[in-house]
Amino acid sequence: MRYESVVQVRGLVKRYGAKTAVDGLDLDVRAGTVTAVLGPNGAGKTTTVETCEGYRRPDAGAVRVLGLDPVADAARLRPRIGVMLQSGGVYSGARAGEMLRHMAKLHAHPLDVAMLVERLGLGSCGRTPYRRLSGGQQQRLALAMAVVGRPELVFLDEPTAGLDPQARRATWELVRELRADGVSTVLTTHFMDEAEQLADDVAVVDAGRVIAQGSPEELCRGGAENTLRFSGRPGLDLGALLKALPDGTAAAELSAGVYRISGTIDPQLLATVTSWCAQAGVMPDALSVERRTLEDVFLELTGKELRS
Ligand code: ATP
């Protein structure tokens, strides 16, 4: 059975004592897509996915995963989802290879264990007890365990935090392949490049709420702010240029002869800048319009840096 939303969260509230970790959060995950829940530390990302996984009960609101209630229908849901927790959940004396093979046997159509071991660079860890694996190896093993059963839906909590660039790329590649196989993925991250690289949809979370949701392109295009950069002769009279530009536009000489114009960079503004340069006898070299990044979007929405 196909669902339009494989995860549907409505008005989720979760408190830990006096602390409200999730504060009326709504989230939809479309089937067959990768959704990134992006936000700074403490935003409520882990609490949200753990509630979807059935490990926490909502204090208010409703959560449906593959059309089921993650707590009441846990026995039916668990075999259909893959879960990579941020840490723990594994018996520390078990050997990596045994655990993975055991996990594979619990499922009807598992992925090829040898292929996964190879892909995630776990070849040397087969006989090593879990507690003796490095942090990065434990994380890659957790990822392998989450996906080996060929689940319909995978939850990955900060899958690449602390990984070296090679392991990070291997993880991204695996997520892309799962997607190509029709698997839906929900991942939490505070790396905006991870969200930009992998996600079809991004839910930007802050203080327990989704403050924006859309594709990376939609989110970055959504606002007016863009940046125009060019190089030219040092010491151009930016005050004179600004008089020709709309209110709210800013201009700066970042270093000698390197200029940045910020604001609503539309074709009209571009024409005004280039014709002003022409009148001043300046060739605007290396002229580029840069779109906002998710980091900029987050800063605009919250006034905070993503990694604060
Ligand atoms: P991180 O990126 O650091 O994992 P997060 O966005 O996943 O952060 P959560 O782990 O869901 O955020 O935490 C949200 C808030 O709830 C934080 O302020 C955190 O300190 C608090 N919190 C989380 N788990 C507990 C708990 N078991 N008891 C008390 N407070 C908790």
Side-chain angles (χ1 to χ4, degrees), residues 16 19 21 40-48 56 86 157-158 190:
Y16 300 109
K19 167 88 200 168
N41 290 338
K45 306 182 296 295
T46 297
T47 302
T48 300
R56 299 192 184 280
Q86 224 173 77
D157 199 0
E158 307 254 356
H190 55 258

Side-chain angles (χ1 to χ4, degrees), residues 195-269:
E196 281 183 337
Q197 285 282 331
L198 289 183
D200 299 290
D201 285 308
V202 179
V204 184
V205 178
D206 186 44
R209 286 172 169 267
V210 173
I211 54 173
Q213 182 163 11
S215 69
E217 294 73 28
E218 283 164 355
L219 288 171
C220 293
R221 169 162 29 88
E225 290 287 305
N226 264 324
T227 301
L228 170 68
R229 288 172 191 268
F230 66 93
S231 306
R233 199 174 63 221
L236 291 180
D237 183 359
L238 293 180
L241 170 59
L242 275 179
K243 284 193 189 130
L245 298 178
D247 288 349
T249 310
E253 185 169 359
L254 299 176
S255 57
V258 178
Y259 298 93
R260 183 187 64 198
I261 316 282
S262 334
T264 306
I265 312 294
D266 56 15
Q268 184 55 53
L269 183 138

Side-chain angles (χ1 to χ4, degrees), residues 100-266:
L100 198 49
R101 281 191 296 276
H102 176 68
M103 188 63 119
K105 280 195 193 124
L106 296 177
H107 293 89
H109 306 288
L111 293 176
D112 181 52
V113 171
M115 178 279 290
L116 260 185
V117 163
E118 157 85 26
R119 291 285 307 282
L120 292 173
L122 290 166
S124 59
C125 314
R127 300 187 53 73
T128 312
Y130 180 79
R131 66 170 176 278
R132 294 206 193 286
L133 297 175
S134 71
Q137 288 167 336
Q138 289 183 355
Q139 218 169 331
R140 281 176 279 146
L141 178 64
L143 173 64
M145 303 239 308
V147 302
V148 70
R150 226 188 268 268
E152 292 166 56
L153 167 67
V154 194
F155 292 97
L156 308 176
D157 199 0
E158 307 254 356
T160 64
L163 289 187
D164 63 42
Q166 195 188 347
R168 201 162 181 240
R169 269 196 302 277
T171 302
W172 287 4
E173 210 38 53
L174 194 62
V175 172
R176 290 192 184 111
E177 279 172 30
L178 290 169
R179 182 181 179 283
D181 257 3
V183 177
S184 314
T185 300
V186 181
L187 62 91
T188 71
T189 186
H190 55 258
F191 297 125
M192 62 144 201
D193 62 333
E194 185 153 286
E196 281 183 337
Q197 285 282 331
L198 289 183
D200 299 290
D201 285 308
V202 179
V204 184
V205 178
D206 186 44
R209 286 172 169 267
V210 173
I211 54 173
Q213 182 163 11
S215 69
E217 294 73 28
E218 283 164 355
L219 288 171
C220 293
R221 169 162 29 88
E225 290 287 305
N226 264 324
T227 301
L228 170 68
R229 288 172 191 268
F230 66 93
S231 306
R233 199 174 63 221
L236 291 180
D237 183 359
L238 293 180
L241 170 59
L242 275 179
K243 284 193 189 130
L245 298 178
D247 288 349
T249 310
E253 185 169 359
L254 299 176
S255 57
V258 178
Y259 298 93
R260 183 187 64 198
I261 316 282
S262 334
T264 306
I265 312 294
D266 56 15

Side-chain angles (χ1 to χ4, degrees), residues 79-109:
R80 299 174 57 192
I81 63 173
V83 171
M84 176 186 180
L85 299 172
Q86 224 173 77
S87 61
V90 175
Y91 167 56
S92 69
R95 294 180 201 281
E98 283 165 11
M99 276 194 291
L100 198 49
R101 281 191 296 276
H102 176 68
M103 188 63 119
K105 280 195 193 124
L106 296 177
H107 293 89
H109 306 288

